[in-house]
Amino acid sequence: MTLDEFYPYILADVQGCPDPTININLVAAAIEFCTKSLAWSETTAPIALVNTQADYVITAPTDARALMPRDVWLDGSKLVPKTVDELAAVLPNWQTATGSNPAYYNASVTRGSIRVYPTPANVVAQALLIRAAFIPTPAATTLPDFLGQYHMEAIASGAKARLMAMPTKDWSNPALGTYHKGMFDAAIIDAKIAEAHDRVQGSISAAPRRFGQ
């Protein structure tokens, strides 16, 4: 959806603010929302494994960039995320190890990519599926439809909080900006909880504790 579709939720509270300034802060609010909530998650098309190639680019939608991988599968088997220290413990020769069935991954030093371990060798028609979190680019001129359908007011509040915090502007309003910041932060928490359940019914629960513990 286009940025001006958010304007009805913003313009009345920041009268006199130029459209380019609104757009910059609207996109910034959307970036913050998606970064903190991981609400924008998509699964890539299959990516063919290539012999001797460890790094694979996460293809991003238009006006977006990959923030982080969330899940990675290889022909139906889920790869395990590992830090470098964890890799060293389970795969001592992780830097040079090769194999036909990579079992681990982490984020590549190249942003927007993953690296699989061991490095593929002798692979035949194997493919990765990557579910990744995305965020808008700072230069985005559109935002995904679901942000408008489900988070329009939240992102508008985030934009207004930023705009109202600007000093010595006709639309400056620190007190109301603080209110909108609170609304924005609360919406991020709600979206983060929903995303933790993959937006399906369920609840996060803790193991019961014995009495007196």
Side-chain angles (χ1 to χ4, degrees), residues 48-194:
L49 278 188
V50 178
N51 285 318
T52 74
Q53 180 177 318
D55 291 350
Y56 295 85
V57 175
I58 302 171
T59 303
T62 301
D63 281 345
R65 68 175 180 85
L67 176 66
M68 59 184 290
R70 298 191 60 187
D71 297 290
V72 180
W73 297 269
L74 175 60
D75 291 344
S77 296
K78 194 170 186 179
L79 274 61
V80 180
K82 294 289 186 182
T83 65
V84 169
D85 286 344
E86 290 170 337
L87 272 173
V90 298
L91 194 67
N93 60 334
W94 61 272
Q95 293 173 301
T96 57
T98 61
S100 59
N101 289 292
Y104 311 107
Y105 77 93
N106 58 26
S108 171
V109 292
T110 302
R111 296 281 183 171
S113 300
I114 66 164
R115 175 167 289 184
V116 298
Y117 303 89
T119 298
N122 301 315
V123 299
V124 178
Q126 291 168 276
L128 295 167
L129 281 179
I130 304 172
R131 183 170 75 127
F134 297 95
I135 61 174
T137 63
T141 58
T142 62
L143 294 174
D145 288 345
F146 84 90
L147 285 181
Q149 292 169 350
Y150 301 107
H151 307 294
M152 176 84 78
E153 292 187 49
I155 293 173
S157 283
K160 287 188 284 190
R162 290 170 175 270
L163 292 166
M164 291 173 177
M166 292 181 175
T168 66
K169 300 294 184 183
D170 291 342
W171 58 87
S172 299
N173 192 332
L176 189 55
T178 298
Y179 166 80
H180 281 294
K181 182 66 163 61
M183 296 290 288
F184 179 63
D185 289 344
I188 287 174
I189 292 171
D190 288 344
K192 185 174 182 178
I193 292 171

